[in-house]
Amino acid sequence: MVVLIKDLLEGDRTTIQALVGSSSTGTGKNGNPYLSVELRDNSGSIACKKWSPSESDKEILVAGNIVEVSLTVKKFNNTLQGDIQSPRLLELDDIDVARFIKPSPIPKEELIKRFNKLKDSIENKDCKALLEYFLKKFGDKVYISPAASSVHHEFSSGLLMHSVCLAEHADYFAKYYNDINRDLLVTGALLHDFGKLIELEGPAIYKYSTEGKLLGHISIMCGELRIASKELNITSEIPVLLEHMVLSHHGQLEFGSPIMPLTREALLLSIIDNLDSKMMVLDKAYEDVKPGEFTQRIYSLDNRSFYKAK
Amino acid sequence: MVVLIKDLLEGDRTTIQALVGSSSTGTGKNGNPYLSVELRDNSGSIACKKWSPSESDKEILVAGNIVEVSLTVKKFNNTLQGDIQSPRLLELDDIDVARFIKPSPIPKEELIKRFNKLKDSIENKDCKALLEYFLKKFGDKVYISPAASSVHHEFSSGLLMHSVCLAEHADYFAKYYNDINRDLLVTGALLHDFGKLIELEGPAIYKYSTEGKLLGHISIMCGELRIASKELNITSEIPVLLEHMVLSHHGQLEFGSPIMPLTREALLLSIIDNLDSKMMVLDKAYEDVKPGEFTQRIYSLDNRSFYKAK
Amino acid sequence: MVVLIKDLLEGDRTTIQALVGSSSTGTGKNGNPYLSVELRDNSGSIACKKWSPSESDKEILVAGNIVEVSLTVKKFNNTLQGDIQSPRLLELDDIDVARFIKPSPIPKEELIKRFNKLKDSIENKDCKALLEYFLKKFGDKVYISPAASSVHHEFSSGLLMHSVCLAEHADYFAKYYNDINRDLLVTGALLHDFGKLIELEGPAIYKYSTEGKLLGHISIMCGELRIASKELNITSEIPVLLEHMVLSHHGQLEFGSPIMPLTREALLLSIIDNLDSKMMVLDKAYEDVKPGEFTQRIYSLDNRSFYKAK
Amino acid sequence: MVVLIKDLLEGDRTTIQALVGSSSTGTGKNGNPYLSVELRDNSGSIACKKWSPSESDKEILVAGNIVEVSLTVKKFNNTLQGDIQSPRLLELDDIDVARFIKPSPIPKEELIKRFNKLKDSIENKDCKALLEYFLKKFGDKVYISPAASSVHHEFSSGLLMHSVCLAEHADYFAKYYNDINRDLLVTGALLHDFGKLIELEGPAIYKYSTEGKLLGHISIMCGELRIASKELNITSEIPVLLEHMVLSHHGQLEFGSPIMPLTREALLLSIIDNLDSKMMVLDKAYEDVKPGEFTQRIYSLDNRSFYKAK
Amino acid sequence: MVVLIKDLLEGDRTTIQALVGSSSTGTGKNGNPYLSVELRDNSGSIACKKWSPSESDKEILVAGNIVEVSLTVKKFNNTLQGDIQSPRLLELDDIDVARFIKPSPIPKEELIKRFNKLKDSIENKDCKALLEYFLKKFGDKVYISPAASSVHHEFSSGLLMHSVCLAEHADYFAKYYNDINRDLLVTGALLHDFGKLIELEGPAIYKYSTEGKLLGHISIMCGELRIASKELNITSEIPVLLEHMVLSHHGQLEFGSPIMPLTREALLLSIIDNLDSKMMVLDKAYEDVKPGEFTQRIYSLDNRSFYKAK
Amino acid sequence: MVVLIKDLLEGDRTTIQALVGSSSTGTGKNGNPYLSVELRDNSGSIACKKWSPSESDKEILVAGNIVEVSLTVKKFNNTLQGDIQSPRLLELDDIDVARFIKPSPIPKEELIKRFNKLKDSIENKDCKALLEYFLKKFGDKVYISPAASSVHHEFSSGLLMHSVCLAEHADYFAKYYNDINRDLLVTGALLHDFGKLIELEGPAIYKYSTEGKLLGHISIMCGELRIASKELNITSEIPVLLEHMVLSHHGQLEFGSPIMPLTREALLLSIIDNLDSKMMVLDKAYEDVKPGEFTQRIYSLDNRSFYKAK
């Protein structure tokens, strides 16, 4: 039977499977060394200690690993804390990673349905071919990857959710304003962040790969589009326009785009990308705030505190 | 019978009524002084000269005046040019100003209908009361004023069109994301730029008033909301939230907002205001450009040239 | 008999009345919880602990409250520290708030005299009427409020002192340079920061109100001037010029002014406001520094350390 | 008898002595080359032409030279214009340069009196010795040099006037605030811009010297103070404090100060230097503007137009 | 016999072959239309007019075309000017483009020799394979392309010269400092700007291609490296390190690099790229300046005037 | 016999001579006060405690002093720690300071040899005279001073090493590019940072002097060059050009240069100064990093982590 972290109680002695969220060494007042470890599953998280860790313990209790441990649960300063015994590394083949990371607010299945509906609405054959190419190339990673590398705020299928929301906004504005190549805009919205599938490495906690740190998801995806277009023998200007949208979607040089938007589609994409990202940040920040109160300072919003209207 | 500027031909000698778009003095090769005058109506414009202008001519042919003149039409460098005789100032009471300025791309009547539909959808009584207050206060100016002061690119009902588009986007996003006070967002979208009704002075060519230059439409509207809320005895937090949305809708201190957005509604308003303004700029810039070409450099878009996809 | 904090000695067991300057929770080495509390009166401050605080203790010992406590005074690391017993909340009606906050370096009475002298020197009737209006509207708050919200560096009558100094500088420069509307400049100097009377909330420790956070004192005072001018039926350009001075007195958009100074009076006001604020900061920073030494880094002066000449 | 430029009338044929304000070549409609030359004296200026100039004419009619010319005065576009004949270079020894440049708004003699009064009020012997040193070193140049290099807006004794005004403000603030070394502040105010006596070269129109362009007046004066202090064997910290005031008086690195103010005296000096410079700019800008109007855009004030209150 | 532009004399009537450097329309005083055309070869340039141009003339005399024209040479304002008759478009196949553009200061043959010597010194097989790949891909364009798009300051083989100089500096510093992968640094120096071979289009005057404007040479070359590495099946980290060097070689986000240098090789490359570019700019700017004088303001060096030491 | 810090072992009781690297006070769990002191020599460093320090102990164990102490060596958390007894201040006259600070990576003797070779290669007599002047003025300090003030990363002869490297690069580029005054460039490279000999005060740990903080090494050296040139009666433009190179070598106003480079020599100097400084920073940062890993964030390189190629 699976024990969920959210169900742990003071005094429990039990065995759980969990993802190591973070890990660091320390020394107690008594001079004994310990590892300070955060364990998580998709129900919650708990701070733990492994006292007098062996070399083997240190290799197992590493951020990103999925482990099985014996746990004694105590209360300290009104908070539950666990003492770890006998940590054991689980093989990824044996386990369902999804059990250990927070799910997206919208169910993955619904997101896939909306993604496919958008894809099926594309009539331009070059756009369609490129979409198919990348779905095939990246496979299931498209459906499960988070949209950001943060160890703390990521959730499963985050990339998928962000792509779908942007593409739906793209569809809305393509109908609202003149002179917009709708298929180009929707395709760009669906693909713009796919470079993150190479920039970030999982399986459970996503971190920047060396390639990700040295190139960034923008340049990676631009290069991948170039390869794809060559392999698919596309001769229209669609590939250059998509590469441009990918390159410019951060909107400003200082935000990592090497070029600013120079087409209406690229300009729109950069604005709605900004809009959706900020809405996701606010969703998170408002979570713990009551109407009539201010949030904590939000780093990615210029360190401002936001007010939640009554 | 009304003669329209677009119908003038080389050799015509006729009388037209027109708006003076600009006026400056010069001296010809023969040493004769002249006024160089641009005349406009809602069908087009023509460059004219008034040779050896009298003091009275100089007082009549001033930018913003609406005049009746006798015109002799010539061709110079492949362009039509008019020689003005007997300029006469028209009384604003006698004339329909709308005849002399470019109409909005969407008919005023349709915009009013959409504005009213949005207004009628507001259920919050304080929002509704404030909307009614300002419609009554500013009257018809709301329906005819441009959205910008530029002598060249303004069009009639520009403020109305911008307000309606923003409010419709507001409605779309209020449904899409969580935790949004929809009535607050839509009301803010409808009212956010009403300070321009004081900042800019008409009737035909809109220029900054002294008050507009010294205070700006943002601070003017914030003060007007404060007066309105006091007169209407509103005790909820709606007025402060609306004042905040008005103050922060330019999004950044360096763009003239004294405070950055601190509510989800204010943040959304500032992003869609930016989006709609840029779409209007691109509409204009793409007008004369063929697919596969770049526009002129666009001052308000960081001096970039935009590409029009094939 | 009133016991002052500056008179406490090691070993004292006594009862004092004090303002709670700050309050935070902690846990001792023995595992016992405590509140760490700073108590202040206008003679000084002392760090205290309330061990094993009850829920009621936590509600009483909140920053900004004025309390009566039994105190045992100890010495720790060469510094006095108090152990709190039996904290009791005092009613604001029963007490003289001034007893608990640092007085201004210049006595309040002298400041009021200088304020009134400046006011009486104003001959322009609109300026005079607006001054009277706001004195009546805000009453005694004008004379006692601090000039800044900081929990640490505020002092009583700070706003009054800053206003008087600025107005005296205004008077000096109005005589020195040409083309200055002296009454306008002096009135602007006296009123420019009155928005803080709404932005900040007392009574003892001043904090930003929600309205203050969402609008800021600049926009609040601009709106208040607009209301006042309407109620007083002023038709001259004085109100617009004063609103402009209030809006622009921070001098730069990035410092929160929505518009830069556009009159000589507004430009002068912004410069002397900057000058007086920095002198106040240096007064504070030089306090504990000997000639030939450098101050601590000063946050509001670009984090520089200032040298005190020998 | 001296003919002043302000007294010239249409049709005059006369001989005048004047400073060449600017000079450039052109070609007339008839193909004839000419020099376009502005001539000035302290009463005004007149635009002139020298048709078919010889090589010698071109060497004489150079900006900064003082010349004697025969002049025929015509009217063109309602403005007087002169035709130059027989230009002759005047030797500087033979002439009073002051006749050709605009005098300062305050008479030189009064400025010298106020300068000396300030100097005599200095009690600190090192400050006094340095003042005497530089007065002796630079001699009369101190009393006649302009404060800025601009060919157009300079006036005689500008440096003296700026130094005196700053030192008087220094005296005012030294009495107003605490902890100010008054003699240091006043001496710094008097000397801070003396580097311009090397940075700019006269005699009549002041231009940047090569040394001025490569080092700037700030670094030049800092070095001169270092030499002076060494030669005067000063051992107090006065020289370092004065060098610091000179280095930091532009207030910001981006304005050419290699270090920001780090003493109260240096901070005050930088603020009142900024204040007085801007007042001088406004004096000039308001000159041609009527109450209720806006000035031209002012380059050194962020290109703003200033309003002149009614 | 070939007539060179530098050999033309007043009064000549002759036929020349030349590159059209620029072309614009105008109208003479007599009302006749003309084309104002700059003609160039590798010996110099001459300003010309084609009066009353036919439609065919307008299509032939377009910037970038190479033409044969009959020319009458006149003198105007001391400068030679040509009157064009009978312009004829030359086929690129018939002509040696090098005849019409300025050669590089170092002969192409020497540059190729130095390029090959550097290439042959590379021992790392992946670096070598990539170098060979791109030499084969771009062929002779590598040896003749300019390094910049400017219509005015380009010269033939500019890209080659810049690449060779950088690679020689790379070799110097790789020996000077520790821990540098010399082959990586030299290869990066040789390849870093090859994206310009796609960004710019010739043959004679180089202009930005549409792909160049929308993507930029940095992203283009990064993508080309990605394709090359895939086709060459390179599995080392060399490709990612080279892509990183290409992406970061402008050193700052605001200069168009999407990522800042994160390896010692990338950091060195960005610094010596900056150094060599500025030296090339100064070479040009110092050309017409005598010792002891200042250059014109140089746009790409922050608009500074540089002094040429005596 | 000298005991080196690197040779200390757990359990040792011995006497060592060492430099106090840093010192701060604390209180132990038992309530006993202590000084936490870092001791260093050129072989390494050790963290120590002096329990219950007397006033005399506190005066001796001050950062920058060189002391003799009795030491008991313990192991704590796997690290050696010393208990200090009987600290005694050593007279600087009695000791060789070099024993206590980290030596430069290149031996001092070799650096002096390379410095002299560069000096001897100078043919311009003014350059040579200035070099001799400053070598005489500053004496041995030139050979031993660090190049930076940091308490942690300095090393002996750092200034010498930096000067020599820059001058060798100067020599390389003077041969590579045209129009460079080689002697000027090399002299500037050797002298550019000599102001640090006044800005920083030793003997062992270098800290900013008051003069250094108020003026900075750039302005100090500029003034010293001015004095030197006067005393040496140099009349060429060499002094002004060297002063300019010193003033501008930080390259940007925001980095503390009051003027940007305006000669080719000054521009080159600023670029290679930047290059060599960054290489020194990377040398340090790469020290503890294995190939294929990233460094810690580097403060002086925009807080980036650098990758060490495999």
Side-chain angles (χ1 to χ4, degrees), chain B residues 226-297:
Chain B
R226 213 166 174 90
I227 290 175
S229 307
K230 201 173 177 195
E231 296 189 354
L232 296 170
N233 290 313
I234 300 180
T235 57
S236 71
E237 67 172 3
I238 289 290
V240 165
L241 294 175
L242 279 173
E243 285 183 58
H244 173 69
M245 289 168 79
V246 167
L247 288 179
S248 66
H249 81 267
H250 281 189
Q252 302 276 352
L253 301 198
E254 64 264 38
F255 300 155
S257 272
I259 202 157
M260 294 177 77
L262 295 177
T263 63
R264 196 197 280 261
E265 291 82 9
L267 181 61
L268 257 174
L269 180 63
S270 71
I271 297 176
I272 58 181
D273 180 45
N274 178 41
L275 188 155
D276 188 61
S277 307
K278 288 185 172 159
M279 288 301 112
M280 280 204 280
V281 168
L282 276 194
D283 274 354
K284 177 108 205 143
Y286 274 147
E287 243 171 35
D288 311 319
V289 171
K290 280 175 272 186
E293 288 186 353
F294 282 82
T295 67
Q296 298 293 310
R297 291 184 175 280

Side-chain angles (χ1 to χ4, degrees), chain B residues 33 63 86 117 197 201-202 204 247 298 300 310:
Chain B
S86 324
K117 187 173 165 200
L197 298 169
E201 286 174 337
L247 288 179
I298 307 172
S300 60
K310 284 174 196 166

Side-chain angles (χ1 to χ4, degrees), chain F residues 118-124 127-128 131 182-183 186-187:
Chain F
L118 287 157
K119 179 170 67 79
D120 295 345
S121 75
I122 303 289
E123 297 178 357
N124 179 293
C127 288
K128 194 146 211 156
L131 273 170
R182 186 259 179 201
D183 281 2
V186 171
T187 304

Side-chain angles (χ1 to χ4, degrees), chain E residues 114 164-166 168-169 172-173 176-181 184 237 241 251-252 260-265 267-268 271-272 274-276 278-279 282-283 286 292 294 301-302 304-310, chain F residues 114 164-166 168-169 172-173 176-181 184 237 241 251-252 260-265 267-268 271-272 274-276 278-279 282-283 286 292 294 301-302 304-310:
Chain E
R114 284 156 71 176
V164 165
C165 290
L166 246 63
E168 289 173 350
H169 298 340
Y172 168 78
F173 285 114
Y176 203 95
Y177 292 109
N178 299 323
D179 281 326
I180 293 179
N181 183 332
L184 179 65
E237 68 171 2
L241 294 175
Q252 302 277 352
M260 293 178 78
L262 294 177
T263 64
R264 196 197 279 262
E265 291 81 9
L267 181 60
L268 257 174
I271 297 177
I272 57 181
N274 178 41
L275 187 155
D276 189 61
K278 287 184 174 162
M279 289 301 113
L282 275 194
D283 274 355
Y286 273 147
F294 282 83
L301 288 169
D302 304 291
R304 285 174 272 160
S305 291
F306 271 68
Y307 180 71
K308 193 172 190 173
K310 286 175 196 166
Chain F
R114 283 157 70 177
V164 165
C165 291
L166 247 61
E168 289 173 351
H169 298 340
Y172 167 78
F173 285 114
Y176 203 94
Y177 292 109
N178 299 323
D179 282 324
I180 293 180
N181 183 331
L184 179 66
E237 67 172 4
L241 294 175
Q252 302 276 353
M260 293 178 77
L262 295 177
T263 63
R264 195 196 280 260
E265 291 82 8
L267 181 61
L268 257 175
I271 297 176
I272 57 181
N274 178 42
L275 187 155
D276 188 62
K278 287 184 175 162
M279 287 302 112
L282 276 194
D283 274 355
Y286 273 146
F294 282 82
L301 288 170
D302 305 291
R304 284 173 274 162
S305 290
F306 272 67
Y307 180 71
K308 194 172 189 173
K310 283 174 197 166

Side-chain angles (χ1 to χ4, degrees), chain A residues 114 164-166 168-170 172-173 176-181 184 237 241 251-252 260-265 267-268 271-272 274-280 282-284 286 292 294 301-302 304-310, chain B residues 114 164-166 168-170 172-173 176-181 184 237 241 251-252 260-265 267-268 271-272 274-280 282-284 286 292 294 301-302 304-310:
Chain A
R114 284 156 70 177
V164 165
C165 291
L166 246 62
E168 289 174 352
H169 298 340
Y172 167 78
F173 285 114
Y176 203 95
Y177 292 110
N178 299 323
D179 281 326
I180 294 180
N181 183 332
L184 179 65
E237 68 172 2
L241 294 175
Q252 301 276 353
M260 293 177 77
L262 295 177
T263 63
R264 196 196 280 260
E265 290 82 8
L267 181 61
L268 258 174
I271 297 177
I272 57 180
N274 178 41
L275 188 155
D276 189 61
S277 307
K278 288 184 173 161
M279 288 303 113
M280 280 204 279
L282 276 194
D283 274 354
K284 177 107 204 145
Y286 274 146
F294 282 83
L301 288 169
D302 305 290
R304 284 173 273 161
S305 291
F306 271 67
Y307 180 71
K308 193 172 191 173
K310 283 174 198 165
Chain B
R114 283 156 70 177
V164 166
C165 291
L166 246 62
E168 290 173 350
H169 299 339
Y172 167 79
F173 285 113
Y176 203 95
Y177 292 109
N178 299 323
D179 281 326
I180 293 179
N181 183 332
L184 179 65
E237 67 172 3
L241 294 175
Q252 302 276 352
M260 294 177 77
L262 295 177
T263 63
R264 196 197 280 261
E265 291 82 9
L267 181 61
L268 257 174
I271 297 176
I272 58 181
N274 178 41
L275 188 155
D276 188 61
S277 307
K278 288 185 172 159
M279 288 301 112
M280 280 204 280
L282 276 194
D283 274 354
K284 177 108 205 143
Y286 274 147
F294 282 82
L301 287 170
D302 304 290
R304 282 173 274 160
S305 290
F306 272 67
Y307 180 71
K308 193 171 190 174
K310 284 174 196 166

